[in-house]
Amino acid sequence: MDTLFFLIISIGLAFGIGCLGRTRKIGFGIAFGLSLLNVIIGLIAVLCSKKIDKA
């Protein structure tokens, strides 16, 4: 039961980081995939990538 709880939490965090990646050049898919492997590495990758210019 605890394993399922932590799995749901980790997928939720990875989805949140993927949503952050949508506004960056890294994109949702790569940010989500990296976050599934390791949440901290995914977050660092998203924060280090450049934002998409909307101009």
Side-chain angles (χ1 to χ4, degrees):
M1 192 68 174
D2 290 337
T3 306
L4 180 64
F5 175 74
F6 287 119
L7 181 66
I8 291 171
I9 295 295
S10 65
I11 291 173
L13 286 172
F15 182 77
I17 293 173
C19 288
L20 284 175
R22 272 193 248 172
T23 61
R24 308 257 180 179
K25 291 200 177 198
I26 195 170
F28 176 84
I30 295 174
F32 182 72
L34 283 175
S35 297
L36 281 177
L37 296 175
N38 190 330
V39 174
I40 295 175
I41 291 174
L43 183 62
I44 290 171
V46 167
L47 294 177
C48 289
S49 70
K50 294 182 179 184
K51 288 188 177 182
I52 296 174
D53 294 331
K54 296 207 175 192

